[in-house]
């Protein structure tokens, strides 16, 4: 490998997505590889924040529920997310957090599979997915949360819902969505996919999947703690019910009826009043992903990940970073994870040198690839700084070994 | 009653809370009596929105979870709300929506009262409170949601949780919190208070209450869909569990442990990632209420409500508006509700004349009193416009009879 910085600059010059870089607030000199944890701020979201706060809230006040169509935001934002995940606009709604939405769909799934009381997932799933299932099991008293290392062979006839995260948050390994969905259906089980690390990162095709959830603040660039979303396949929407049955999921929320009566379609998955300001920002941010197109985003991310991995091989040989993400394009999401005994210290040293990956205990450094906010030169420079840190022994600075919360 | 507009101007001139008016964005000429539905925008919240979006998110990115202390927001905001409701800072946390929080506390309450499977509430409670209880009952299969017209005599020994809204959203009638709490405890039941129409409106003293929830976007001025909060009395916090057990309620959220283990104290009531931007705005808004002081706010609101009701008596006699809110200070919250057969049309006509009350089906016009954003002259002018609309028959305009969603 004889690449030089100029070669990366040339890639940028020919990159059809390069104009998107200027539409985000990219702090000067910062090489940000953590868009998989918190996406960067689009200028459109910044403008929308001001518009929503100053004009819609400040001037429009209560009338904005109708005049600014706040009341339609969950469906409107859901419809945009639907475009990214191969769903119909009427199958997705933006609401609450990923955790809360998992609870709704697990409970709803169990109701659709009477007689079956097992939720099957993998031990390596993102913790909150497992914790929410445990909460449901604790509440109902008769639900089992079964953990498997390899899920497909573990799908037995007592399984009501198979819950998996499409892209592993640690290794970026990608599940074969169609194959798992099909295996679950063969046993009469439903499937719930967590798309938190795949929607906005790669083209998702939910196919025959029953349910999905995902997060708004990672690849969707919706801002810290942005609202999440959920998907219920059209064929289930009539029979689907969920226990967090708040007033805005009611068929006639402003009729103030005595008893709950679910709204038609996906709206019954809403609980309380939507977080209007947060949802408006997500609404604005999604337009950029849709405009760029998920296939172009995916192509650039794969190329950037290939180059990053090659550069690490070539320039950080002695560092002994072990790539735990598959090199095969078809088998990975949009981050590269390296394990290293001093992973924590390296992450801290990188951050001080203005390269931002993140760290996942016990020893994983994750570099997220978000092509709308990362140039090819960023890739070159990041590996350059990593190589320097290693060669100069900077990571040995005792400051970096202080364990603090790395979010 | 021989009051004139000058008398109201004199009241403003002597009002110690008058300087707060300029710290909110009050649209020119608008007489806004709907702060009980959506509070007005404080300038401090507008500035905080820009700060949080541009600097914390845009520039600080992922580091802001620690550097800007995003991770502490639920406790920080909870601590501020605690000051308004007579609670300890460690007893309140800001999180999710009122609906979601009701579910957590009802489920948690049932676990604390094994053998009891009844949730008792009143038929006039705000719908989402009842709907969430129904969702829990539907999920568990063995919980009964019992509705009573008069709750206290209906508290029997099979009741696990008595759930009431402190201030009735329709009539503004105020429950005697201490008396109901005591009656519930006498039967071994727990009490859950919904403070959505009382926190920020009047000094609340939770006393011996077990649980409470409330909304951030009404009297707390947190912005549309602002995060809600919940209270768990200190004595219950060790035993309390809740089923929406997401990762940020875990004892060690970033250790990514396999199984859920609740955080110590009130933090276990958190589920997913907090809505940082929305919560920051609420954080900024709360400072104004704390600075003004709930007793001063309450005194002014009572005076404004007295004057408003007297002016309606004197100047809108023929209109036949029927005050359904108690005149007794000790028996009402901070809005005045009038029933009128043409309540809907009158509300629409008022809004066109830039007086904003809201309407609750079938025939109730609500005027909310939020002393930090309402002057005494506003009170005079609002009743003046109401009298004009009635006398001139403006409300008969057929446009106003089109039933649209009035939120």
């Amino acid at each position: 490998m004889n690449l030089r910085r100029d070669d990366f600059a040339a890639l940028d010059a020919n990159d059809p997505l390069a104009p998107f870089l200027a539409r985000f607030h990219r702090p000067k000199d910062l090489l940000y590889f953590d868009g998989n944890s918190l996406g960067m701020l689009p200028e459109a979201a910044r403008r929308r924040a001001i518009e929503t706060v100053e004009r819609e809230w400040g001037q429009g006040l209560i009338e904005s529920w109708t005049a600014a169509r706040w009341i339609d935001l969950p469906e409107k934002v859901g419809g945009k997310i639907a475009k990214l995940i191969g769903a119909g606009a009427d199958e997705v709604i933006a609401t609450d957090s990923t955790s809360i939405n998992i609870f709704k769909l697990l409970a709803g799934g169990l109701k659709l599979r009477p007689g079956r009381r097992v939720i099957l997932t993998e031990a390596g799933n993102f913790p909150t997915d497992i914790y929410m299932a445990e909460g449901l099991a604790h509440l109902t008293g008769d639900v089992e949360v079964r953990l498997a290392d390899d899920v497909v062979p573990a799908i037995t006839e007592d399984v009501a819902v198979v819950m998996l995260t499409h892209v592993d948050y640690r290794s970026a390994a990608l599940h074969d969505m169609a194959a798992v969905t099909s295996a679950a259906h063969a046993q009469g089980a439903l499937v719930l996919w967590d798309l938190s690390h795949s929607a906005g990162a790669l083209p998702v095709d939910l196919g025959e999947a029953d349910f999905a959830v995902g997060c708004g603040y990672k690849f969707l660039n919706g801002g810290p703690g942005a609202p999440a979303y959920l998907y219920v396949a059209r064929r289930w929407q009539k029979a689907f019910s969920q226990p967090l049955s708040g007033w805005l999921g009611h068929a006639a929320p402003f009729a103030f009826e005595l008893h709950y009566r679910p709204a038609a379609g996906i709206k019954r998955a809403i609980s309380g009043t939507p977080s209007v300001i947060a949802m408006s920002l997500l609404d604005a941010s999604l337009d950029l992903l849709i405009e760029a197109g998920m296939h172009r985003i995916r192509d650039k991310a794969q190329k950037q990940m290939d180059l990053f991995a090659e550069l690490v091989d070539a320039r950080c040989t002695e560092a002994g970073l072990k790539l735990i993400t598959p090199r095969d394009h078809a088998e990975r999401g949009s981050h590269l994870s390296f394990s290293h005994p001093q992973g924590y210290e390296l992450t801290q040293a990188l951050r001080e040198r203005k390269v931002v990956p993140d760290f996942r205990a016990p020893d994983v450094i994750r570099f997220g690839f978000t092509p709308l906010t990362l140039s090819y030169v960023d890739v070159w420079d990041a590996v350059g700084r990593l190589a320097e840190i290693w060669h100069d022994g900077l990571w040995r600075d005792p400051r970096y070994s202080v364990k603090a919360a790395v979010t």
Side-chain angles (χ1 to χ4, degrees), chain A residues 12-349:
Chain A
D12 284 324
N14 290 308
D15 171 18
L17 295 182
F20 282 92
L21 297 171
R23 294 168 67 182
F24 287 82
H25 289 253
R26 306 198 320 138
K28 203 163 161 344
D29 294 331
L30 192 75
L31 305 177
Y32 191 67
F33 288 79
D34 210 9
N36 55 324
S37 193
L38 175 64
M40 297 185 101
L41 168 64
E43 169 58 13
R46 189 194 67 81
R47 283 198 311 268
R48 181 69 172 269
I50 293 170
E51 167 79 5
T52 305
V53 171
E54 294 186 358
R55 198 184 62 78
E56 296 181 4
W57 175 19
Q59 298 299 310
L61 286 160
I62 197 73
E63 301 281 1
S64 289
W65 278 106
T66 46
R69 303 187 58 183
W70 287 348
I71 197 73
D72 300 326
L73 275 171
E75 286 176 286
K76 183 185 176 203
V77 174
K80 289 186 182 180
I81 295 168
K83 293 187 185 176
L84 305 178
I85 61 173
D90 59 334
E91 295 178 303
V92 182
I93 198 138
T95 181
D96 294 319
S97 67
T98 310
S99 300
I100 297 294
N101 291 337
I102 286 169
F103 189 91
K104 294 174 187 168
L105 296 181
L106 288 178
L110 284 160
K111 286 279 179 200
L112 292 171
R113 284 292 174 264
R116 295 176 179 230
R117 303 305 284 170
V118 174
I119 296 165
L120 176 67
T121 187
E122 50 185 10
N125 201 347
F126 188 74
T128 212
D129 300 57
I130 298 173
Y131 301 163
M132 293 308 294
E134 288 180 336
L136 179 59
H138 184 65
L139 175 63
T140 56
D142 67 346
V143 168
E144 178 195 344
V145 182
R146 194 175 291 167
L147 302 176
D149 289 328
D150 186 7
V151 159
V152 168
I155 307 173
T156 45
E157 287 194 343
D158 53 352
V159 173
V161 185
V162 177
M163 170 176 68
L164 286 175
T165 296
H166 185 208
V167 172
D168 187 278
Y169 77 100
R170 212 181 287 255
S171 70
L174 186 65
H175 274 294
D176 182 337
M177 187 178 273
V180 175
T181 297
S182 164
H185 288 177
Q187 298 297 326
L190 303 175
V191 187
L192 162 55
W193 288 102
D194 184 337
L195 305 176
S196 291
H197 283 274
S198 38
L202 50 107
V204 173
D205 179 5
L206 282 167
E208 296 299 309
D210 306 285
F211 304 132
V213 295
C215 151
Y217 53 79
K218 297 176 182 291
F219 291 96
L220 302 190
N221 306 315
Y229 58 92
L230 64 78
Y231 160 91
V232 175
R234 202 173 289 126
R235 68 185 177 280
W236 288 120
Q237 290 185 6
K238 245 185 138 72
F240 175 75
S241 67
Q242 61 90 8
L244 306 179
S245 48
W247 71 311
L248 285 187
H250 192 281
F254 297 101
F256 298 96
E257 293 178 8
L258 186 55
H259 295 291
Y260 183 74
R261 192 162 57 84
I266 192 76
K267 282 178 78 172
R268 65 182 58 177
I270 302 180
S271 296
T273 306
S275 187
V276 168
I277 297 170
M279 210 172 283
S280 297
L281 271 56
L282 176 57
D283 184 47
S285 295
L286 285 165
D287 291 337
L288 280 83
L289 292 167
I290 293 168
E291 182 185 336
M294 285 315 306
H295 286 281
R296 291 202 300 176
I297 289 171
R298 176 63 163 168
D299 288 346
K300 181 174 170 186
Q302 294 283 22
K303 204 164 183 176
Q304 290 187 316
M305 285 191 282
D306 286 345
L307 289 165
F308 192 100
E310 286 170 34
L311 286 172
V312 169
D313 288 344
R315 303 183 62 191
C316 308
T317 320
E318 318 91 80
L321 288 157
K322 194 183 154 209
L323 183 64
I324 62 168
T325 300
R327 286 183 192 256
D328 187 326
H329 286 192
E331 291 178 13
R332 70 185 180 193
S334 204
H335 64 270
L336 292 180
S337 289
F338 297 88
S339 71
H340 192 281
Q342 277 77 43
Y344 183 81
E345 290 81 352
L346 280 168
T347 301
Q348 298 302 94

